Structures are given as C-alpha cells and as structure tokens.
Amino acid sequence: QVQLVGSGGGLVQPGGSLRLSCAASGRIFSINAMGWYRQIPGKERELVADISSGGNINYADSVKGRFTISRDSAKNTVYLQMNSLKPEDTAVYYCHGFSYGMNYWGKGTLVTVSS
C-alpha cells in the first residue's frame, strides 16, 4: 500500500504562484511514478504533471512553461511549483502515485486563482 498526503493549495491572484507538496509513505520503493492531476466540477480529472522513478517528466500542454514538477527522494516528496497562475488553473488538485499497476490518490487540495 502507498499513502499520499498532498498540501499547499489556497487562494492566489492571477499571475501569482503556489507550491503543492505530495508526501508518500508505505511501500514507497514500489512507486513507478508520482504526480498531480486536477479536476473541475463537471469535468474529468486530467493530468497536470508527473515524474517517473527514472526521472521522466510529463506536463499537460496547458501548464508547460509555467509549472515545474520536482522530487526530493530523501523526503519521499514530490513538489509542483505553479507560476503565472491563471483563473483557468482553478481546480481541485490530487496527488497521484502509480505502483505495480495500481493508482493511489491523495485527498484533493483546492487551488483558486481569482482577483
């Protein structure tokens, strides 16, 4: 089992920045990839960014150049630095882990971009 705890959401003005954190515990050695998804009410959950155990990184086209995913292996934590935030980035962000064919999710954290 893998447990994920996400944090760092909040209210920010357009153009501002936030950093999300996702801390993993449990069978962390088995994690193949970690990242962040987001969901707006009425829409499907979508990938924002993820990073594999080998260091491969994927970003949604909508966040490329603005968001940066990184990890601290010593802390078993993945970070999502979000810059130049836009109102359309408003969503519930979910930490995600993939291990041996299973998906693990943290509780969502709300990011609101509004003036």
Side-chain angles (χ1 to χ4, degrees), residues 9-28:
L11 172 64
V12 64
Q13 293 186 342
S17 299
L18 280 175
R19 188 177 80 157
L20 304 183
S21 300
C22 177
S25 60
R27 296 171 63 88
I28 55 176

Side-chain angles (χ1 to χ4, degrees), residues 18-96:
L18 280 175
R19 188 177 80 157
L20 304 183
S21 300
C22 177
S25 60
R27 296 171 63 88
I28 55 176
F29 60 88
S30 68
I31 296 174
N32 304 116
M34 285 181 65
W36 291 90
Y37 284 67
R38 66 187 181 187
Q39 188 168 23
I40 300 169
K43 293 192 175 182
E44 291 188 359
R45 196 171 294 187
E46 64 174 6
L47 173 70
V48 178
D50 65 8
I51 181 168
S52 72
S53 56
N56 293 319
I57 292 174
N58 294 301
Y59 292 104
D61 288 343
S62 60
V63 307
K64 284 180 181 177
R66 300 187 297 122
F67 291 11
T68 302
I69 191 169
S70 62
R71 66 183 177 194
D72 184 333
S73 298
K75 295 182 179 180
N76 303 316
T77 300
V78 169
Y79 303 97
L80 184 69
Q81 178 65 43
M82 306 187 293
N83 298 328
S84 302
L85 282 160
K86 304 175 181 180
E88 51 263 43
D89 294 316
T90 296
V92 178
Y93 284 69
Y94 294 91
C95 179
H96 171 260

